[in-house]
Amino acid sequence: MKQIVLTVNGRKHSYIPGESFLLEVLRDHLELTGSKVCCLEGECGACTVIMDGKSVNSCLILAEEADGAEIITVEGLAGEDLSPLQGAFLDNAAAQCGFCIPGQLMAAQALLDRNPSPSRAEVREALAGNLCRCAGYEQITDAVLDAARGPT
Amino acid sequence: MSGSRYERPASLSEAVTLLAGSDNTHPLSGGTDLAVAMRYGRAKPGLVVDLKAIPELAPSIEMADGLLAITANTVMTDLENDERIRKLLPALVEAARVVGSVQIRNRATLAGNLANASPAADTPPVLMALGATIVIHGPSGIRALSVDDFLVDYRTTALDPGELIVAVQIPMPARRSSSSFLKLGVRRAMEISVVCVGASIELDEDGSIVKAGLGLGSVAPVTLRPRNAEKLLVGNTASPELFAAAGDAAGGECSPIDDLRASGEYRKAMVPVLVRRALSIAQERSGVGV
């Protein structure tokens, strides 16, 4: 395989991938295990990252396609403190087992980046590609809306 | 990917050369179908040709010469967000916005939805109903096919080795015409349809149907064009009874299978319902004789 250069959470990485897909590049090479291995066919959203500003399923992206891309994973949301969105997830008890949460956070972040004041319906639509087996959908939706409202 | 080489050419001619240059090549844009097939070994291309660096194919929706031209790398999200498509081709927006999820729609291309040729695909029925043309480049040059001619059989297109879709062209709708898309499914997102219908209708000022186009998904091995239903419509005055008759005719032209989503019997029963509703919505949108 050819060398790829990709920027992940602000840091540039350049290497020859042994992995076939972006998800495994992130998890196995870069050891960013926040993005999850779940359905591996673009149906569940547990592998969601933000690539060049758009939410995508990283399990569907060949490693070589990520050459030149800017990627944000769940590990990139927090600065010194958790991000407001992450705080809202905690405040609203959005995480139960937690497995879907990185994907939900990334889908939500991508939504808020393009639509800072979504309606409840818009949140549900934007996160429709993120399944939660614990059925935490109401709390997750509340959390995203809470984050959108900002500190009161 | 082990076993598959990858190239990302910077020009269309280079892409055609690569695609035609060896036996087992495959174009790649959104990858939402191909990536899954590759991961699970259903597709094993010797060479994957990533089209995303080709300027001529960069996402764009242009109106010129009475046509709306959508380039090969245009994704579903681009279509959803385009004001002109929302106004002029509402059915295409309605179909694009129910493909998969946001994550899928940010990558999935209109061209890829056609090239994958699933009989359940959402956009081909609309493109069929709208009389779209698929522009193809290959080693022998440029050619154009109707959707009907492009979709040959179950997951089989008319593309020859080395060929790729470069654009989809849709005739600008006439004044008293409009379109609609309906998708019947088990849930409200992330689903493959039980039945889906694309309808397009053009009327004259008296409410007589000048042109009618229909496309049906998930009711045959390939997106189906119910020609008997269309023949019933053209030349007659739009009415609920006429739409019901067309719906019944369309139902008669289908051969749906039983699968995990629905029985063939149920699908056959739903086709007339969706067809008459879709025609009715398209007529309402056209503003004639309602």
Side-chain angles (χ1 to χ4, degrees), chain B residues 133-290:
Chain B
T133 303
I134 301 167
V135 182
I136 296 163
H137 276 229
S140 336
I142 304 171
R143 62 190 182 114
L145 293 175
S146 68
V147 176
D148 321 23
D149 289 337
F150 180 80
L151 298 173
V152 169
D153 203 342
Y154 180 73
R155 294 184 179 272
T156 311
T157 71
L159 288 173
D160 289 330
E163 288 191 316
L164 68 150
I165 300 173
V166 295
V168 177
Q169 293 174 338
I170 304 171
M172 291 286 293
R175 197 151 52 101
R176 281 176 283 262
S177 77
S178 194
S179 60
S180 73
F181 171 78
L182 291 175
K183 178 174 183 173
L184 178 66
V186 177
R187 52 178 187 245
R188 284 162 52 199
M190 281 306 288
E191 65 167 354
I192 295 172
S193 65
V194 167
V195 175
C196 65
V197 176
S200 167
I201 196 166
E202 182 188 335
L203 304 138
D204 68 20
E205 60 266 17
D206 304 314
S208 177
I209 298 169
V210 172
K211 250 189 137 144
L214 289 167
L216 305 180
S218 298
V219 296
V222 67
T223 306
L224 185 77
R225 179 141 207 174
R227 293 189 186 278
N228 296 344
E230 287 177 350
K231 284 197 197 107
L232 271 185
L233 292 166
V234 176
N236 292 315
T237 308
S239 72
E241 296 73 33
L242 182 68
F243 292 161
D248 290 340
E253 297 180 70
C254 297
S255 50
I257 57 168
D258 297 340
D259 71 12
L260 66 100
R261 280 175 287 279
S263 68
E265 186 188 346
Y266 179 69
R267 290 177 149 121
K268 219 165 150 81
M270 290 303 104
V271 165
V273 177
L274 290 190
V275 166
R276 69 170 188 262
R277 283 185 191 171
L279 286 168
S280 176
I281 293 167
Q283 183 199 0
E284 250 181 74
R285 286 177 177 164
S286 74
V288 182
V290 209

Side-chain angles (χ1 to χ4, degrees), chain A residues 31-55:
Chain A
E31 296 185 350
L32 297 169
T33 53
S35 311
K36 301 306 179 193
V37 169
C38 191
C39 77
L40 295 180
E41 53 182 24
E43 295 276 341
C44 75
C47 67
T48 304
V49 299
I50 296 175
M51 180 163 154
D52 297 329
K54 301 194 279 185
S55 63

